[in-house]
Amino acid sequence: MYKWYRNSEECYVYLADVKPLLVHRRVEYEGDLILNPRIREKFLASLWFRRGWTLQELLAPRTITFYDADWRELGDKHQLYGLIMEATGIHHTYLVAEPYRCHLPYGQGGPSAAQKMSWVAKRETSRSEDMAYCLLGLFGINIPLLYGEGGRKAFIRLQTEIINKQEDESILAWEQPYSTSVPYGILAPHPRYFKYCGDIIPVFNRSEPRYWITNRGLALRVPASVFSYLGDGVDNTVWIPLHCKEEFPQGLEKVFRIRIMLVENICYRVKKWRRRLQDPHEIEHQEDNETKTIYFPLDSVFVGNSELFSDENEEDLRYFKLMLSHNSTTAALENMSLVR
């Protein structure tokens, strides 16, 4: 479908919810329609910018013309790119300057994985699986469409295929939604976890892969020196630097990190990533030649469709950590009825 839109000569977008008001039996605007503040407000609030499948309809075509509910022309994508940027958070480079790059990997001149995910983070689809499937063309990959598997599983499959086909560590730079220590897998459960990742790009500073998919989950090669600061008991956590940076940094460059809980060489993500000013300690870790390979489960620790731990119930979390610190991971999960 993405290729079909990309090969089109011209596309038309009918915004059924952008309706002009009648003032004394006359349409309230004339001339340059989009300059009217009421129409601008309706344009920005249109549901067309909140639907998952319309993302590829916006990015793939070379020319798009927008019309309101009365089929009055509002302008094309080039004329309205400022408003479209405001409505979608997509940089003008990928909207109008070089839209043909949108489906390319970052290493070939396209946007990063985190940036693409952020574009769909605020969108919705009727079927939960389509939150993953509507991104296939944008990433230039294919996976089977398995309706009924659930949105989370579909999104995990999508990320797994992206990791298999593209080198882009920004896919690991998603943000957990709350400042809590709930254990997560290494991959995001939903695109909304990339909501604030629109400025993150990867840094390629190694000749060999740093992470890959295995039958044990995702293997990640990290600096061995970070484990010299590993805590004891229930505080068995460390910070792992990511090879990512801001595309347009404000002031000093920052370091992206994730906090993990290590249990018998299997890791769980327990803190959201942070941005922090660089210091010699961080840089030393990133340049460490001695490495250690650790493994993460791909999916989050969930029971059904709800998270295991609520933000308020830290007692369950402390019990979970205590179990993992004294038992094998499998035994701990079985005792807590987490193994499906």
Side-chain angles (χ1 to χ4, degrees), residues 120-121 123 128 131 151-152 155 159 174 187-194:
V120 78
R123 294 172 179 260
S128 60
M131 286 300 297
R152 190 180 80 248
F155 193 56
Q159 293 173 88
W174 52 274
L187 301 182
H190 192 276
R192 63 172 172 267
Y193 288 47
F194 288 91

PDB file of all heavy atoms in Angstrom, residues 120-121 123 128 131 151-152 155 159 174 187-194:
ATOM      1  N   VAL A 120       3.610   7.871  14.861  1.00  0.00           N
ATOM      2  CA  VAL A 120       2.361   7.117  15.005  1.00  0.00           C
ATOM      3  C   VAL A 120       1.946   6.994  16.471  1.00  0.00           C
ATOM      4  O   VAL A 120       0.888   6.430  16.771  1.00  0.00           O
ATOM      5  CB  VAL A 120       2.510   5.711  14.359  1.00  0.00           C
ATOM      6  CG1 VAL A 120       3.283   4.775  15.279  1.00  0.00           C
ATOM      7  CG2 VAL A 120       1.165   5.115  13.986  1.00  0.00           C
ATOM      8  N   ALA A 121       2.735   7.540  17.377  1.00  0.00           N
ATOM      9  CA  ALA A 121       2.508   7.356  18.822  1.00  0.00           C
ATOM     10  C   ALA A 121       1.162   7.910  19.275  1.00  0.00           C
ATOM     11  O   ALA A 121       0.538   7.363  20.193  1.00  0.00           O
ATOM     12  CB  ALA A 121       3.641   8.005  19.614  1.00  0.00           C
ATOM     13  N   ARG A 123      -1.512   8.246  17.301  1.00  0.00           N
ATOM     14  CA  ARG A 123      -2.561   7.828  16.372  1.00  0.00           C
ATOM     15  C   ARG A 123      -3.285   6.594  16.895  1.00  0.00           C
ATOM     16  O   ARG A 123      -2.818   5.925  17.818  1.00  0.00           O
ATOM     17  CB  ARG A 123      -1.963   7.565  14.983  1.00  0.00           C
ATOM     18  CG  ARG A 123      -1.416   8.837  14.329  1.00  0.00           C
ATOM     19  CD  ARG A 123      -0.670   8.550  13.052  1.00  0.00           C
ATOM     20  NE  ARG A 123      -0.194   9.780  12.443  1.00  0.00           N
ATOM     21  CZ  ARG A 123      -0.783  10.395  11.436  1.00  0.00           C
ATOM     22  NH1 ARG A 123      -1.879   9.872  10.900  1.00  0.00           N
ATOM     23  NH2 ARG A 123      -0.289  11.501  10.948  1.00  0.00           N
ATOM     24  N   SER A 128      -6.431  -3.350  16.944  1.00  0.00           N
ATOM     25  CA  SER A 128      -5.198  -3.099  17.687  1.00  0.00           C
ATOM     26  C   SER A 128      -3.954  -3.527  16.919  1.00  0.00           C
ATOM     27  O   SER A 128      -2.908  -2.875  17.006  1.00  0.00           O
ATOM     28  CB  SER A 128      -5.251  -3.818  19.039  1.00  0.00           C
ATOM     29  OG  SER A 128      -5.389  -5.228  18.873  1.00  0.00           O
ATOM     30  N   MET A 131      -1.912  -1.007  14.557  1.00  0.00           N
ATOM     31  CA  MET A 131      -0.924  -0.045  15.034  1.00  0.00           C
ATOM     32  C   MET A 131       0.485  -0.470  14.622  1.00  0.00           C
ATOM     33  O   MET A 131       1.363   0.362  14.425  1.00  0.00           O
ATOM     34  CB  MET A 131      -0.999   0.101  16.554  1.00  0.00           C
ATOM     35  CG  MET A 131      -2.208   0.875  17.040  1.00  0.00           C
ATOM     36  SD  MET A 131      -2.277   2.580  16.399  1.00  0.00           S
ATOM     37  CE  MET A 131      -0.808   3.295  17.118  1.00  0.00           C
ATOM     38  N   GLY A 151      -2.566  -6.427  19.653  1.00  0.00           N
ATOM     39  CA  GLY A 151      -1.693  -5.338  19.228  1.00  0.00           C
ATOM     40  C   GLY A 151      -0.297  -5.436  19.785  1.00  0.00           C
ATOM     41  O   GLY A 151       0.675  -5.108  19.094  1.00  0.00           O
ATOM     42  N   ARG A 152      -0.150  -5.881  21.059  1.00  0.00           N
ATOM     43  CA  ARG A 152       1.174  -5.935  21.662  1.00  0.00           C
ATOM     44  C   ARG A 152       2.061  -6.953  20.956  1.00  0.00           C
ATOM     45  O   ARG A 152       3.218  -6.681  20.632  1.00  0.00           O
ATOM     46  CB  ARG A 152       1.063  -6.266  23.147  1.00  0.00           C
ATOM     47  CG  ARG A 152       2.378  -6.100  23.905  1.00  0.00           C
ATOM     48  CD  ARG A 152       2.251  -6.424  25.378  1.00  0.00           C
ATOM     49  NE  ARG A 152       2.293  -7.844  25.628  1.00  0.00           N
ATOM     50  CZ  ARG A 152       1.269  -8.576  26.061  1.00  0.00           C
ATOM     51  NH1 ARG A 152       0.108  -8.002  26.267  1.00  0.00           N
ATOM     52  NH2 ARG A 152       1.396  -9.862  26.283  1.00  0.00           N
ATOM     53  N   PHE A 155       3.122  -5.682  17.557  1.00  0.00           N
ATOM     54  CA  PHE A 155       4.144  -4.633  17.636  1.00  0.00           C
ATOM     55  C   PHE A 155       5.501  -5.219  18.020  1.00  0.00           C
ATOM     56  O   PHE A 155       6.545  -4.750  17.536  1.00  0.00           O
ATOM     57  CB  PHE A 155       3.726  -3.558  18.632  1.00  0.00           C
ATOM     58  CG  PHE A 155       4.557  -2.307  18.560  1.00  0.00           C
ATOM     59  CD1 PHE A 155       4.694  -1.615  17.370  1.00  0.00           C
ATOM     60  CD2 PHE A 155       5.211  -1.826  19.688  1.00  0.00           C
ATOM     61  CE1 PHE A 155       5.466  -0.466  17.296  1.00  0.00           C
ATOM     62  CE2 PHE A 155       5.978  -0.674  19.629  1.00  0.00           C
ATOM     63  CZ  PHE A 155       6.111   0.005  18.432  1.00  0.00           C
ATOM     64  N   GLN A 159       8.935  -4.920  15.696  1.00  0.00           N
ATOM     65  CA  GLN A 159      10.246  -4.456  16.174  1.00  0.00           C
ATOM     66  C   GLN A 159      11.323  -5.523  15.977  1.00  0.00           C
ATOM     67  O   GLN A 159      12.466  -5.207  15.651  1.00  0.00           O
ATOM     68  CB  GLN A 159      10.145  -4.075  17.649  1.00  0.00           C
ATOM     69  CG  GLN A 159       9.268  -2.864  17.907  1.00  0.00           C
ATOM     70  CD  GLN A 159       9.063  -2.621  19.393  1.00  0.00           C
ATOM     71  OE1 GLN A 159       9.846  -1.928  20.039  1.00  0.00           O
ATOM     72  NE2 GLN A 159       8.010  -3.203  19.946  1.00  0.00           N
ATOM     73  N   TRP A 174      12.935   3.923  23.739  1.00  0.00           N
ATOM     74  CA  TRP A 174      11.572   4.304  24.102  1.00  0.00           C
ATOM     75  C   TRP A 174      11.487   4.624  25.590  1.00  0.00           C
ATOM     76  O   TRP A 174      12.333   4.236  26.380  1.00  0.00           O
ATOM     77  CB  TRP A 174      10.594   3.195  23.733  1.00  0.00           C
ATOM     78  CG  TRP A 174      10.942   1.834  24.247  1.00  0.00           C
ATOM     79  CD1 TRP A 174      11.768   0.921  23.658  1.00  0.00           C
ATOM     80  CD2 TRP A 174      10.471   1.210  25.452  1.00  0.00           C
ATOM     81  NE1 TRP A 174      11.844  -0.224  24.401  1.00  0.00           N
ATOM     82  CE2 TRP A 174      11.057  -0.074  25.514  1.00  0.00           C
ATOM     83  CE3 TRP A 174       9.620   1.600  26.469  1.00  0.00           C
ATOM     84  CZ2 TRP A 174      10.819  -0.963  26.561  1.00  0.00           C
ATOM     85  CZ3 TRP A 174       9.373   0.718  27.514  1.00  0.00           C
ATOM     86  CH2 TRP A 174       9.966  -0.542  27.551  1.00  0.00           C
ATOM     87  N   LEU A 187      11.772  -4.490  24.403  1.00  0.00           N
ATOM     88  CA  LEU A 187      11.039  -3.833  23.327  1.00  0.00           C
ATOM     89  C   LEU A 187       9.771  -3.177  23.862  1.00  0.00           C
ATOM     90  O   LEU A 187       9.182  -3.632  24.830  1.00  0.00           O
ATOM     91  CB  LEU A 187      10.679  -4.839  22.229  1.00  0.00           C
ATOM     92  CG  LEU A 187      11.867  -5.562  21.579  1.00  0.00           C
ATOM     93  CD1 LEU A 187      11.384  -6.496  20.474  1.00  0.00           C
ATOM     94  CD2 LEU A 187      12.886  -4.570  21.034  1.00  0.00           C
ATOM     95  N   ALA A 188       9.370  -2.106  23.209  1.00  0.00           N
ATOM     96  CA  ALA A 188       8.202  -1.338  23.651  1.00  0.00           C
ATOM     97  C   ALA A 188       6.916  -2.122  23.379  1.00  0.00           C
ATOM     98  O   ALA A 188       6.777  -2.751  22.330  1.00  0.00           O
ATOM     99  CB  ALA A 188       8.154   0.002  22.936  1.00  0.00           C
ATOM    100  N   PRO A 189       5.946  -2.077  24.299  1.00  0.00           N
ATOM    101  CA  PRO A 189       4.682  -2.790  24.080  1.00  0.00           C
ATOM    102  C   PRO A 189       3.752  -2.099  23.091  1.00  0.00           C
ATOM    103  O   PRO A 189       2.843  -2.724  22.560  1.00  0.00           O
ATOM    104  CB  PRO A 189       4.042  -2.814  25.482  1.00  0.00           C
ATOM    105  CG  PRO A 189       5.120  -2.417  26.436  1.00  0.00           C
ATOM    106  CD  PRO A 189       6.048  -1.542  25.660  1.00  0.00           C
ATOM    107  N   HIS A 190       3.956  -0.784  22.842  1.00  0.00           N
ATOM    108  CA  HIS A 190       3.025  -0.010  22.018  1.00  0.00           C
ATOM    109  C   HIS A 190       3.765   1.210  21.454  1.00  0.00           C
ATOM    110  O   HIS A 190       4.703   1.729  22.092  1.00  0.00           O
ATOM    111  CB  HIS A 190       1.842   0.452  22.876  1.00  0.00           C
ATOM    112  CG  HIS A 190       0.692   0.996  22.102  1.00  0.00           C
ATOM    113  ND1 HIS A 190       0.630   2.318  21.675  1.00  0.00           N
ATOM    114  CD2 HIS A 190      -0.471   0.419  21.681  1.00  0.00           C
ATOM    115  CE1 HIS A 190      -0.498   2.509  21.025  1.00  0.00           C
ATOM    116  NE2 HIS A 190      -1.187   1.382  21.010  1.00  0.00           N
ATOM    117  N   PRO A 191       3.376   1.706  20.270  1.00  0.00           N
ATOM    118  CA  PRO A 191       4.035   2.896  19.718  1.00  0.00           C
ATOM    119  C   PRO A 191       3.964   4.130  20.604  1.00  0.00           C
ATOM    120  O   PRO A 191       4.822   5.016  20.507  1.00  0.00           O
ATOM    121  CB  PRO A 191       3.284   3.125  18.394  1.00  0.00           C
ATOM    122  CG  PRO A 191       2.759   1.795  18.019  1.00  0.00           C
ATOM    123  CD  PRO A 191       2.423   1.111  19.315  1.00  0.00           C
ATOM    124  N   ARG A 192       2.963   4.228  21.482  1.00  0.00           N
ATOM    125  CA  ARG A 192       2.852   5.427  22.310  1.00  0.00           C
ATOM    126  C   ARG A 192       4.040   5.603  23.244  1.00  0.00           C
ATOM    127  O   ARG A 192       4.256   6.694  23.766  1.00  0.00           O
ATOM    128  CB  ARG A 192       1.557   5.394  23.123  1.00  0.00           C
ATOM    129  CG  ARG A 192       1.444   4.270  24.118  1.00  0.00           C
ATOM    130  CD  ARG A 192       0.213   4.434  25.012  1.00  0.00           C
ATOM    131  NE  ARG A 192      -0.017   3.278  25.856  1.00  0.00           N
ATOM    132  CZ  ARG A 192      -0.802   2.261  25.552  1.00  0.00           C
ATOM    133  NH1 ARG A 192      -1.454   2.276  24.397  1.00  0.00           N
ATOM    134  NH2 ARG A 192      -0.949   1.238  26.375  1.00  0.00           N
ATOM    135  N   TYR A 193       4.812   4.542  23.472  1.00  0.00           N
ATOM    136  CA  TYR A 193       5.994   4.649  24.323  1.00  0.00           C
ATOM    137  C   TYR A 193       7.109   5.440  23.633  1.00  0.00           C
ATOM    138  O   TYR A 193       8.106   5.769  24.259  1.00  0.00           O
ATOM    139  CB  TYR A 193       6.495   3.259  24.699  1.00  0.00           C
ATOM    140  CG  TYR A 193       5.625   2.524  25.702  1.00  0.00           C
ATOM    141  CD1 TYR A 193       4.241   2.468  25.551  1.00  0.00           C
ATOM    142  CD2 TYR A 193       6.169   1.881  26.797  1.00  0.00           C
ATOM    143  CE1 TYR A 193       3.437   1.797  26.455  1.00  0.00           C
ATOM    144  CE2 TYR A 193       5.373   1.202  27.711  1.00  0.00           C
ATOM    145  CZ  TYR A 193       4.004   1.176  27.529  1.00  0.00           C
ATOM    146  OH  TYR A 193       3.215   0.519  28.437  1.00  0.00           O
ATOM    147  N   PHE A 194       6.938   5.734  22.338  1.00  0.00           N
ATOM    148  CA  PHE A 194       7.893   6.558  21.593  1.00  0.00           C
ATOM    149  C   PHE A 194       7.400   8.003  21.439  1.00  0.00           C
ATOM    150  O   PHE A 194       7.932   8.753  20.634  1.00  0.00           O
ATOM    151  CB  PHE A 194       8.119   5.969  20.196  1.00  0.00           C
ATOM    152  CG  PHE A 194       8.914   4.696  20.184  1.00  0.00           C
ATOM    153  CD1 PHE A 194       8.280   3.464  20.256  1.00  0.00           C
ATOM    154  CD2 PHE A 194      10.295   4.722  20.091  1.00  0.00           C
ATOM    155  CE1 PHE A 194       8.997   2.279  20.237  1.00  0.00           C
ATOM    156  CE2 PHE A 194      11.029   3.540  20.064  1.00  0.00           C
ATOM    157  CZ  PHE A 194      10.387   2.320  20.142  1.00  0.00           C
TER     158      PHE A 194
END
